[in-house]
Amino acid sequence: MTGENATTGPAVEPASGFGPPEDGLQRLWTPHRLVYIGGQDKPADGTVAQCPFCRIPAGDDEAGLVVARGAECYAVLNLYPYNSGHLMVLPYRHVSGYVDLTGSETVELATMTQTAIRTLTAVYGPAGFNIGMNQGEVAGAGIAAHLHQHVVPRWLGDANFLPVVGQTKALPELLADTRARLAAAWPAGRGAAPEGGR
């Protein structure tokens, strides 16, 4: 029998034989997002009609989890967050590539990202952030047709055994409460969302 000895039982593989090699990288395990990756709530195609990021601004801020609105961009909570406070900054315009943004969209996206970091820091006091965007499905963009920049607050020890072993992510606050706290703390004049909508 391969891997088994009749007198001692099954062979035991050492833990070092599993997982990625030692490389000094921090890993954020998010198995709770597998439902979304598998297709739940994903648009059927890349058209404006199917795009949730185009529909959200037309609705109510609370229902759409919009934190703040600017002239050309807005900030919204991620419906499938990596961590509490995980939000995205994106243009209203349906555009997929960073290089396709206008100059003013680029400036507002950057300014709102800075404001998001300041607001999240004031409200939640994270130890750091992951900030970035995935361009194209092959790069990991869940909705590749509409550019969005992630702002993910991070805390020491926020990736623990629960998501890795239990395939469960503990988020200590409802998204509606997170949205209300961040919207209230977002500085006026920096893409502040008027209550109730655009």
Side-chain angles (χ1 to χ4, degrees):
M1 288 184 274
T2 305
E4 189 169 318
N5 183 303
T7 58
T8 60
V12 176
E13 181 74 26
S16 61
F18 296 95
E22 293 289 328
D23 58 10
L25 295 175
Q26 293 285 335
R27 286 174 171 78
L28 181 62
W29 300 98
T30 58
H32 64 285
R33 294 177 55 87
L34 192 56
V35 171
Y36 178 72
I37 291 167
Q40 180 175 311
D41 298 332
K42 274 192 165 181
D45 57 46
T47 63
V48 171
Q50 288 289 317
C51 181
F53 295 148
C54 289
R55 283 193 309 271
I56 289 169
D60 177 72
D61 285 350
E62 288 184 30
L65 301 175
V66 174
V67 172
R69 294 175 181 263
E72 297 182 82
C73 297
Y74 70 102
V76 63
L77 287 181
N78 191 320
L79 191 57
Y80 297 94
Y82 290 124
N83 269 340
S84 291
H86 176 178
L87 56 78
M88 298 172 292
V89 179
L90 55 158
Y92 294 114
R93 190 166 63 95
H94 189 75
V95 59
S96 62
Y98 185 71
V99 298
D100 298 325
L101 292 175
T102 66
S104 59
E105 285 172 330
T106 303
V107 169
E108 188 167 77
L109 188 111
T111 302
M112 287 189 81
T113 298
Q114 290 177 329
T115 303
I117 294 166
R118 290 183 183 109
T119 303
L120 285 161
T121 299
V123 174
Y124 293 105
F129 290 90
N130 290 117
I131 301 164
M133 57 183 79
N134 303 318
Q135 296 282 277
E137 283 186 37
V138 71
I143 300 176
H146 198 129
L147 175 93
H148 51 285
Q149 177 151 277
H150 295 269
V151 181
V152 183
R154 298 296 306 275
W155 292 267
L156 295 174
D158 63 14
N160 58 32
F161 76 94
L162 195 58
V164 176
V165 176
Q167 296 188 354
T168 303
K169 179 68 176 180
L171 298 171
E173 186 173 58
L174 295 173
L175 288 174
D177 295 340
T178 302
R179 182 249 163 227
R181 289 180 72 183
L182 292 174
W186 197 278
R190 294 187 187 247
E195 280 307 310
R198 198 166 176 184

